Amino acid sequence: DVADFLVELTSSPKLAAAYYQGMEGAPPLDFAARFAAESDYYAKTLDELDTSRQLEKDDPSAFEWPEYYAKEFTKPTTEYMKHCFHRKLLELRKDPALLQTKAGQAVFMGVFTGALFHNLDYDDFSSKFGFIFSVLMYIGLTGMGDMPGHIDRRNVFYKQRDQSFFPTAAYVVSNVVVAVIVAVIETAVYAIIVYYMTGMASASFGPFFVLLWLLSLAMGQWFVALAAIAPSAQDAQPMAGMCIVMSVLFSGFIIQRENIPQWWRWMYWISPISWAFRGVAVNEYRSDVYDKCVYQRRELGCGTIPGTEVADPLTADDDDFCCFESSDGLYFLKLYSVPVDAFFVPLGAVVLLGYVAFSVFAQTVLLTFVRHGHKGGAAAADEEVSEAELERKMRPVAKMDRAASTRMAAQSQKEIPYVPVTVAFRDLHYTVQTPPRTPHGPPEQLELLGGVTGFSEPDSMTALMGSSGAGKTTLLDVVAGRKTSGKIT
């Protein structure tokens, strides 16, 4: 056990004796001597160090450490991705409310939108374009609410990345994979409800779902990239809002493409919502349902003698006769200045995938080279504070320390009563109840302290050391009698 090993090597003889009273074990010196005498790893390490020192001494310019010691990450990147992915899945499993909230929101908004646009008529193209736009707006904005969470977890990432826990790319890719899974679930729930409640073309659901899913992923990853560069959540929200406004204005629905000024039209072709809007609209109106001219014949006078309302005997009974476009679907698309070519459906999917790739690349670069301090200002990872600046900042602290020392010296002269006390504990256990893993299962017992032994003598400083989450604060609270729940034995 690593903890026992550290206790053996670092403890005083008195603590080691108390720790091993009634237990089988070896004194630290005996353990170290046996490790040096019998361990192949010890001998190999000494040999590598001696060889490296000799090489460095003989020819410093030609000296190079072995590749294993020169590399920051010695394992394949996929290995780090696997660990980051498992950790992210564990976070989701321990926080089921997140997925439940997203699924519930998708159901509510799906039913609400489906009821608002319920069973649209064949020729109600204006409402159908409005339905497409509203669906894309909801899907595109779902990732904006996750920005504060990404910013809150950013400092943890900084700490772990600077300690070389994993490459930045492994962290980013694992988060993207989990985001893909969540987006599939959320988009599927929402898309199935709204699509069939509004009476859209059934054969076109597949591309409709794919485009919505890719838009959700593209916008979500772009918001994550903004969270990586924004100093704080308060700064990230306006940045995200500006991007949303620009994407919506140039989506092709608020202002049609032909009405956009020429010098702003390039924004129409880079807006992710615009690509999704074109793809979904072309996918719907190029389907077989609209491959006829019912609207043109009824509303535009096709099949009548020009200049009159008298039916033309040659075309009155011909349902395929069109006088403006070859089908109603193409006519509806051109009314909104939407390109009618069918290749805009797969092209839109490819462009949205490109947005996802660009956002992932931006996240990797930003998380690698940008750091945000406690005050929210961005700083380079290797930025150093000058000696003059450090002295200026430490000057008020030094004055406070001198004042505190003066007060303590004055108090010590008053002979404050002091009774030396030795604090000791042996085989200390502390357990708490945790919620059951199943809805109707029994609560589980989690042991936070398992057989801890130690002491602290008066007139001495005792350091309690351990990694984050090891239980240092829990041990002090239990020893001080501050715990009001759980079981202490």
Side-chain angles (χ1 to χ4, degrees):
D1 181 74
V2 176
D4 291 343
F5 174 73
L6 292 176
V7 169
E8 291 173 351
L9 294 184
T10 60
S11 301
S12 64
K14 187 180 295 185
L15 178 57
Y19 186 84
Y20 277 106
Q21 186 175 358
M23 300 173 60
E24 295 183 0
L29 293 178
D30 294 347
F31 179 88
R34 188 170 180 180
F35 177 78
E38 302 179 9
S39 172
D40 294 335
Y41 182 79
Y42 176 81
K44 181 181 177 181
T45 303
L46 286 182
D47 182 62
E48 288 185 357
L49 290 174
D50 291 340
T51 303
S52 300
R53 291 193 190 100
Q54 188 62 36
L55 290 173
E56 186 175 14
K57 184 177 180 181
D58 295 341
D59 188 3
S61 61
F63 170 75
E64 289 185 2
W65 281 95
E67 184 181 1
Y68 181 86
Y69 299 105
K71 293 173 62 178
E72 182 180 12
F73 302 104
T74 57
K75 297 179 181 179
T77 305
T78 53
E79 185 74 14
Y80 296 103
M81 288 182 184
K82 182 178 69 174
H83 291 299
C84 292
F85 177 71
H86 288 168
R87 185 181 69 172
K88 191 66 178 178
L89 288 182
L90 183 62
E91 292 178 3
L92 288 178
R93 187 171 65 85
K94 288 185 174 294
D95 186 19
L98 176 63
L99 286 179
Q100 293 171 1
T101 301
K102 284 183 173 292
Q105 176 180 299
V107 171
F108 174 79
M109 290 301 300
V111 173
F112 178 81
T113 305
L116 182 63
F117 295 95
H118 185 253
N119 283 339
L120 294 175
D121 293 333
Y122 166 84
D123 56 355
D124 194 358
F125 59 89
S126 178
S127 296
K128 287 185 178 179
F129 276 111
F131 161 75
I132 293 173
F133 178 74
S134 64
V135 167
L136 297 178
M137 281 296 299
Y138 168 76
I139 287 294
L141 295 179
T142 51
M144 188 175 176
D146 298 331
M147 293 179 66
H150 289 290
I151 294 176
D152 291 339
R153 292 188 292 271
R154 197 169 57 190
N155 287 333
V156 177
F157 165 78
Y158 291 160
K159 177 182 177 181
Q160 296 177 346
R161 176 60 185 86
D162 292 343
Q163 296 298 322
S164 300
F165 278 30
F166 41 71
T168 305
Y171 174 82
V172 172
V173 171
S174 62
N175 286 347
V176 172
V177 172
V178 174
V180 168
I181 299 173
V182 174
V184 167
I185 298 173
E186 186 176 13
T187 305
V189 172
Y190 179 74
I192 291 174
I193 295 174
V194 298
Y195 196 81
Y196 292 105
M197 284 188 68
T198 52
M200 306 293 277
S202 300
S204 303
F205 177 75
F208 173 81
F209 166 76
V210 171
L211 287 169
L212 259 62
W213 168 59
L214 290 176
L215 177 66
S216 173
L217 197 59
M219 296 294 289
Q221 293 308 306
W222 178 248
F223 290 140
V224 176
L226 292 180
I229 196 175
S232 64
Q234 291 76 14
D235 298 312
Q237 296 294 339
M239 295 169 61
M242 181 184 67
C243 294
I244 292 170
V245 169
M246 300 299 287
S247 296
V248 169
L249 284 178
F250 295 96
S251 63
F253 180 78
I254 303 295
I255 306 175
Q256 296 179 12
R257 176 171 58 95
E258 294 180 352
N259 296 329
I260 299 176
Q262 190 69 32
W263 56 89
W264 283 112
R265 198 163 294 179
W266 60 274
M267 290 288 294
Y268 171 80
W269 294 106
I270 68 170
S271 168
I273 296 181
S274 171
W275 281 100
F277 183 78
R278 280 193 298 274
V280 173
V282 172
N283 173 68
E284 174 68 18
Y285 286 113
R286 294 281 301 195
S287 63
D288 295 338
V289 174
Y290 302 93
D291 194 15
K292 49 191 175 182
C293 296
V294 176
Y295 179 82
Q296 297 182 60
R297 292 172 60 82
R298 184 178 67 246
E299 302 295 335
L300 304 179
C302 293
T304 61
I305 298 175
T308 69
E309 296 182 359
V310 179
D312 187 345
L314 298 177
T315 61
D317 298 327
D318 186 1
D319 292 335
D320 295 330
F321 177 75
C322 303
C323 55
F324 291 93
E325 298 295 336
S326 59
S327 68
D328 284 343
L330 298 181
Y331 181 77
F332 295 151
L333 290 173
K334 289 189 175 182
L335 283 178
Y336 272 80
S337 300
V338 177
V340 299
D341 298 304
F343 68 80
F344 276 100
V345 178
L347 182 60
V350 172
V351 172
L352 291 175
L353 275 176
Y355 275 106
V356 175
F358 174 78
S359 299
V360 171
F361 174 76
Q363 293 173 44
T364 306
V365 173
L366 292 171
L367 290 174
T368 301
F369 297 104
V370 177
R371 290 291 186 269
H372 294 282
H374 297 294
K375 293 183 179 180
D382 299 328
E383 183 178 0
E384 296 182 357
V385 180
S386 63
E387 293 184 5
E389 181 70 11
L390 183 60
E391 183 180 356
R392 184 185 65 81
K393 292 183 177 181
M394 293 300 295
R395 200 172 296 147
V397 179
K399 292 181 180 179
M400 294 174 61
D401 289 344
R402 288 195 295 270
S405 300
T406 303
R407 287 196 301 269
M408 292 177 63
Q411 292 177 357
S412 64
Q413 296 175 359
K414 298 179 181 179
E415 298 182 356
I416 300 176
Y418 169 68
V419 179
V421 175
T422 298
V423 178
F425 46 91
R426 179 179 176 186
D427 198 24
L428 184 63
H429 294 262
Y430 176 58
T431 58
V432 295
Q433 272 193 359
T434 60
R437 295 189 178 183
T438 58
H440 303 290
E444 298 181 0
Q445 299 293 327
L446 177 63
E447 188 176 44
L448 300 181
L449 299 177
V452 182
T453 300
F455 66 90
S456 179
E457 295 180 324
D459 297 326
S460 64
M461 178 180 292
T462 302
L464 182 59
M465 302 173 67
S467 61
S468 178
K472 302 181 294 297
T473 305
T474 302
L475 174 61
L476 293 178
D477 287 342
V478 170
V479 173
R482 294 178 179 176
K483 291 295 184 184
T484 58
S485 61
K487 183 179 180 181
I488 303 174
T489 56

PDB file of all heavy atoms in Angstrom, residues 275-294:
ATOM      1  N   TRP A 275     -26.316  27.327 -42.780  1.00  0.00           N
ATOM      2  CA  TRP A 275     -26.091  26.046 -43.451  1.00  0.00           C
ATOM      3  C   TRP A 275     -27.113  25.001 -43.013  1.00  0.00           C
ATOM      4  O   TRP A 275     -27.603  24.218 -43.828  1.00  0.00           O
ATOM      5  CB  TRP A 275     -24.669  25.559 -43.169  1.00  0.00           C
ATOM      6  CG  TRP A 275     -23.651  26.243 -44.010  1.00  0.00           C
ATOM      7  CD1 TRP A 275     -22.841  27.276 -43.655  1.00  0.00           C
ATOM      8  CD2 TRP A 275     -23.349  25.959 -45.376  1.00  0.00           C
ATOM      9  NE1 TRP A 275     -22.041  27.664 -44.700  1.00  0.00           N
ATOM     10  CE2 TRP A 275     -22.325  26.854 -45.784  1.00  0.00           C
ATOM     11  CE3 TRP A 275     -23.827  25.036 -46.308  1.00  0.00           C
ATOM     12  CZ2 TRP A 275     -21.785  26.850 -47.058  1.00  0.00           C
ATOM     13  CZ3 TRP A 275     -23.285  25.038 -47.585  1.00  0.00           C
ATOM     14  CH2 TRP A 275     -22.287  25.920 -47.946  1.00  0.00           C
ATOM     15  N   ALA A 276     -27.444  24.993 -41.732  1.00  0.00           N
ATOM     16  CA  ALA A 276     -28.457  24.044 -41.259  1.00  0.00           C
ATOM     17  C   ALA A 276     -29.826  24.396 -41.823  1.00  0.00           C
ATOM     18  O   ALA A 276     -30.605  23.506 -42.208  1.00  0.00           O
ATOM     19  CB  ALA A 276     -28.494  24.045 -39.735  1.00  0.00           C
ATOM     20  N   PHE A 277     -30.151  25.692 -41.886  1.00  0.00           N
ATOM     21  CA  PHE A 277     -31.440  26.120 -42.423  1.00  0.00           C
ATOM     22  C   PHE A 277     -31.587  25.724 -43.891  1.00  0.00           C
ATOM     23  O   PHE A 277     -32.627  25.204 -44.309  1.00  0.00           O
ATOM     24  CB  PHE A 277     -31.574  27.638 -42.264  1.00  0.00           C
ATOM     25  CG  PHE A 277     -32.887  28.198 -42.722  1.00  0.00           C
ATOM     26  CD1 PHE A 277     -34.014  28.077 -41.939  1.00  0.00           C
ATOM     27  CD2 PHE A 277     -32.994  28.848 -43.947  1.00  0.00           C
ATOM     28  CE1 PHE A 277     -35.240  28.600 -42.368  1.00  0.00           C
ATOM     29  CE2 PHE A 277     -34.198  29.369 -44.377  1.00  0.00           C
ATOM     30  CZ  PHE A 277     -35.326  29.242 -43.580  1.00  0.00           C
ATOM     31  N   ARG A 278     -30.545  25.957 -44.691  1.00  0.00           N
ATOM     32  CA  ARG A 278     -30.595  25.565 -46.107  1.00  0.00           C
ATOM     33  C   ARG A 278     -30.755  24.057 -46.242  1.00  0.00           C
ATOM     34  O   ARG A 278     -31.567  23.568 -47.040  1.00  0.00           O
ATOM     35  CB  ARG A 278     -29.316  26.013 -46.828  1.00  0.00           C
ATOM     36  CG  ARG A 278     -29.301  27.457 -47.223  1.00  0.00           C
ATOM     37  CD  ARG A 278     -28.170  27.737 -48.200  1.00  0.00           C
ATOM     38  NE  ARG A 278     -26.870  27.466 -47.610  1.00  0.00           N
ATOM     39  CZ  ARG A 278     -26.183  28.335 -46.888  1.00  0.00           C
ATOM     40  NH1 ARG A 278     -26.698  29.532 -46.652  1.00  0.00           N
ATOM     41  NH2 ARG A 278     -24.995  28.033 -46.400  1.00  0.00           N
ATOM     42  N   GLY A 279     -29.961  23.309 -45.472  1.00  0.00           N
ATOM     43  CA  GLY A 279     -30.022  21.859 -45.585  1.00  0.00           C
ATOM     44  C   GLY A 279     -31.371  21.288 -45.217  1.00  0.00           C
ATOM     45  O   GLY A 279     -31.919  20.431 -45.931  1.00  0.00           O
ATOM     46  N   VAL A 280     -31.950  21.762 -44.112  1.00  0.00           N
ATOM     47  CA  VAL A 280     -33.254  21.243 -43.678  1.00  0.00           C
ATOM     48  C   VAL A 280     -34.348  21.654 -44.650  1.00  0.00           C
ATOM     49  O   VAL A 280     -35.239  20.855 -44.979  1.00  0.00           O
ATOM     50  CB  VAL A 280     -33.567  21.749 -42.253  1.00  0.00           C
ATOM     51  CG1 VAL A 280     -34.990  21.365 -41.854  1.00  0.00           C
ATOM     52  CG2 VAL A 280     -32.571  21.170 -41.255  1.00  0.00           C
ATOM     53  N   ALA A 281     -34.315  22.914 -45.127  1.00  0.00           N
ATOM     54  CA  ALA A 281     -35.345  23.373 -46.057  1.00  0.00           C
ATOM     55  C   ALA A 281     -35.277  22.610 -47.380  1.00  0.00           C
ATOM     56  O   ALA A 281     -36.314  22.161 -47.910  1.00  0.00           O
ATOM     57  CB  ALA A 281     -35.182  24.877 -46.304  1.00  0.00           C
ATOM     58  N   VAL A 282     -34.089  22.444 -47.929  1.00  0.00           N
ATOM     59  CA  VAL A 282     -33.951  21.696 -49.186  1.00  0.00           C
ATOM     60  C   VAL A 282     -34.346  20.243 -48.983  1.00  0.00           C
ATOM     61  O   VAL A 282     -35.014  19.640 -49.834  1.00  0.00           O
ATOM     62  CB  VAL A 282     -32.502  21.815 -49.710  1.00  0.00           C
ATOM     63  CG1 VAL A 282     -32.282  20.884 -50.896  1.00  0.00           C
ATOM     64  CG2 VAL A 282     -32.202  23.253 -50.106  1.00  0.00           C
ATOM     65  N   ASN A 283     -33.975  19.660 -47.855  1.00  0.00           N
ATOM     66  CA  ASN A 283     -34.345  18.281 -47.558  1.00  0.00           C
ATOM     67  C   ASN A 283     -35.852  18.092 -47.514  1.00  0.00           C
ATOM     68  O   ASN A 283     -36.395  17.083 -47.994  1.00  0.00           O
ATOM     69  CB  ASN A 283     -33.721  17.871 -46.227  1.00  0.00           C
ATOM     70  CG  ASN A 283     -34.188  16.503 -45.761  1.00  0.00           C
ATOM     71  OD1 ASN A 283     -33.873  15.486 -46.363  1.00  0.00           O
ATOM     72  ND2 ASN A 283     -34.950  16.477 -44.680  1.00  0.00           N
ATOM     73  N   GLU A 284     -36.564  19.081 -46.983  1.00  0.00           N
ATOM     74  CA  GLU A 284     -38.020  18.969 -46.880  1.00  0.00           C
ATOM     75  C   GLU A 284     -38.698  19.197 -48.229  1.00  0.00           C
ATOM     76  O   GLU A 284     -39.513  18.373 -48.675  1.00  0.00           O
ATOM     77  CB  GLU A 284     -38.523  19.991 -45.854  1.00  0.00           C
ATOM     78  CG  GLU A 284     -40.045  20.093 -45.753  1.00  0.00           C
ATOM     79  CD  GLU A 284     -40.686  18.846 -45.169  1.00  0.00           C
ATOM     80  OE1 GLU A 284     -39.973  18.049 -44.526  1.00  0.00           O
ATOM     81  OE2 GLU A 284     -41.898  18.673 -45.373  1.00  0.00           O
ATOM     82  N   TYR A 285     -38.360  20.268 -48.882  1.00  0.00           N
ATOM     83  CA  TYR A 285     -39.111  20.649 -50.078  1.00  0.00           C
ATOM     84  C   TYR A 285     -38.624  19.950 -51.349  1.00  0.00           C
ATOM     85  O   TYR A 285     -39.275  20.078 -52.389  1.00  0.00           O
ATOM     86  CB  TYR A 285     -39.060  22.164 -50.265  1.00  0.00           C
ATOM     87  CG  TYR A 285     -39.942  22.894 -49.275  1.00  0.00           C
ATOM     88  CD1 TYR A 285     -39.402  23.704 -48.291  1.00  0.00           C
ATOM     89  CD2 TYR A 285     -41.324  22.736 -49.322  1.00  0.00           C
ATOM     90  CE1 TYR A 285     -40.210  24.367 -47.386  1.00  0.00           C
ATOM     91  CE2 TYR A 285     -42.144  23.388 -48.416  1.00  0.00           C
ATOM     92  CZ  TYR A 285     -41.582  24.199 -47.448  1.00  0.00           C
ATOM     93  OH  TYR A 285     -42.397  24.833 -46.548  1.00  0.00           O
ATOM     94  N   ARG A 286     -37.528  19.224 -51.290  1.00  0.00           N
ATOM     95  CA  ARG A 286     -37.128  18.401 -52.431  1.00  0.00           C
ATOM     96  C   ARG A 286     -37.664  16.979 -52.325  1.00  0.00           C
ATOM     97  O   ARG A 286     -37.386  16.139 -53.189  1.00  0.00           O
ATOM     98  CB  ARG A 286     -35.599  18.344 -52.529  1.00  0.00           C
ATOM     99  CG  ARG A 286     -34.917  19.663 -52.853  1.00  0.00           C
ATOM    100  CD  ARG A 286     -34.969  20.023 -54.311  1.00  0.00           C
ATOM    101  NE  ARG A 286     -34.352  19.034 -55.170  1.00  0.00           N
ATOM    102  CZ  ARG A 286     -34.024  19.246 -56.438  1.00  0.00           C
ATOM    103  NH1 ARG A 286     -34.261  20.438 -56.979  1.00  0.00           N
ATOM    104  NH2 ARG A 286     -33.481  18.313 -57.167  1.00  0.00           N
ATOM    105  N   SER A 287     -38.443  16.699 -51.291  1.00  0.00           N
ATOM    106  CA  SER A 287     -39.008  15.361 -51.126  1.00  0.00           C
ATOM    107  C   SER A 287     -40.159  15.140 -52.110  1.00  0.00           C
ATOM    108  O   SER A 287     -40.690  16.081 -52.723  1.00  0.00           O
ATOM    109  CB  SER A 287     -39.503  15.173 -49.691  1.00  0.00           C
ATOM    110  OG  SER A 287     -40.557  16.074 -49.405  1.00  0.00           O
ATOM    111  N   ASP A 288     -40.582  13.895 -52.248  1.00  0.00           N
ATOM    112  CA  ASP A 288     -41.640  13.541 -53.202  1.00  0.00           C
ATOM    113  C   ASP A 288     -42.982  14.170 -52.849  1.00  0.00           C
ATOM    114  O   ASP A 288     -43.846  14.327 -53.728  1.00  0.00           O
ATOM    115  CB  ASP A 288     -41.786  12.015 -53.268  1.00  0.00           C
ATOM    116  CG  ASP A 288     -40.544  11.347 -53.838  1.00  0.00           C
ATOM    117  OD1 ASP A 288     -39.779  12.045 -54.539  1.00  0.00           O
ATOM    118  OD2 ASP A 288     -40.328  10.150 -53.571  1.00  0.00           O
ATOM    119  N   VAL A 289     -43.194  14.521 -51.595  1.00  0.00           N
ATOM    120  CA  VAL A 289     -44.481  15.101 -51.184  1.00  0.00           C
ATOM    121  C   VAL A 289     -44.762  16.397 -51.944  1.00  0.00           C
ATOM    122  O   VAL A 289     -45.922  16.692 -52.284  1.00  0.00           O
ATOM    123  CB  VAL A 289     -44.476  15.354 -49.662  1.00  0.00           C
ATOM    124  CG1 VAL A 289     -45.746  16.084 -49.227  1.00  0.00           C
ATOM    125  CG2 VAL A 289     -44.319  14.044 -48.906  1.00  0.00           C
ATOM    126  N   TYR A 290     -43.726  17.158 -52.247  1.00  0.00           N
ATOM    127  CA  TYR A 290     -43.904  18.457 -52.909  1.00  0.00           C
ATOM    128  C   TYR A 290     -43.574  18.389 -54.396  1.00  0.00           C
ATOM    129  O   TYR A 290     -43.456  19.433 -55.040  1.00  0.00           O
ATOM    130  CB  TYR A 290     -43.016  19.509 -52.228  1.00  0.00           C
ATOM    131  CG  TYR A 290     -43.295  19.652 -50.757  1.00  0.00           C
ATOM    132  CD1 TYR A 290     -42.552  18.921 -49.818  1.00  0.00           C
ATOM    133  CD2 TYR A 290     -44.290  20.501 -50.301  1.00  0.00           C
ATOM    134  CE1 TYR A 290     -42.800  19.038 -48.468  1.00  0.00           C
ATOM    135  CE2 TYR A 290     -44.556  20.625 -48.947  1.00  0.00           C
ATOM    136  CZ  TYR A 290     -43.811  19.897 -48.035  1.00  0.00           C
ATOM    137  OH  TYR A 290     -44.062  20.012 -46.691  1.00  0.00           O
ATOM    138  N   ASP A 291     -43.444  17.198 -54.938  1.00  0.00           N
ATOM    139  CA  ASP A 291     -43.115  17.054 -56.349  1.00  0.00           C
ATOM    140  C   ASP A 291     -44.386  17.091 -57.208  1.00  0.00           C
ATOM    141  O   ASP A 291     -44.675  16.176 -57.985  1.00  0.00           O
ATOM    142  CB  ASP A 291     -42.348  15.748 -56.573  1.00  0.00           C
ATOM    143  CG  ASP A 291     -41.691  15.700 -57.952  1.00  0.00           C
ATOM    144  OD1 ASP A 291     -41.600  16.777 -58.580  1.00  0.00           O
ATOM    145  OD2 ASP A 291     -41.294  14.604 -58.371  1.00  0.00           O
ATOM    146  N   LYS A 292     -45.176  18.138 -57.046  1.00  0.00           N
ATOM    147  CA  LYS A 292     -46.402  18.358 -57.807  1.00  0.00           C
ATOM    148  C   LYS A 292     -46.705  19.852 -57.816  1.00  0.00           C
ATOM    149  O   LYS A 292     -45.962  20.638 -57.215  1.00  0.00           O
ATOM    150  CB  LYS A 292     -47.561  17.579 -57.205  1.00  0.00           C
ATOM    151  CG  LYS A 292     -47.732  17.732 -55.707  1.00  0.00           C
ATOM    152  CD  LYS A 292     -48.732  16.727 -55.155  1.00  0.00           C
ATOM    153  CE  LYS A 292     -48.809  16.797 -53.631  1.00  0.00           C
ATOM    154  NZ  LYS A 292     -49.733  15.797 -53.077  1.00  0.00           N
ATOM    155  N   CYS A 293     -47.787  20.233 -58.477  1.00  0.00           N
ATOM    156  CA  CYS A 293     -48.061  21.656 -58.679  1.00  0.00           C
ATOM    157  C   CYS A 293     -49.449  22.044 -58.174  1.00  0.00           C
ATOM    158  O   CYS A 293     -50.137  22.866 -58.784  1.00  0.00           O
ATOM    159  CB  CYS A 293     -47.923  22.010 -60.159  1.00  0.00           C
ATOM    160  SG  CYS A 293     -46.260  21.776 -60.779  1.00  0.00           S
ATOM    161  N   VAL A 294     -49.870  21.475 -57.064  1.00  0.00           N
ATOM    162  CA  VAL A 294     -51.197  21.768 -56.518  1.00  0.00           C
ATOM    163  C   VAL A 294     -51.313  23.241 -56.156  1.00  0.00           C
ATOM    164  O   VAL A 294     -52.311  23.905 -56.471  1.00  0.00           O
ATOM    165  CB  VAL A 294     -51.460  20.882 -55.285  1.00  0.00           C
ATOM    166  CG1 VAL A 294     -52.796  21.255 -54.641  1.00  0.00           C
ATOM    167  CG2 VAL A 294     -51.444  19.411 -55.673  1.00  0.00           C
TER     168      VAL A 294
END
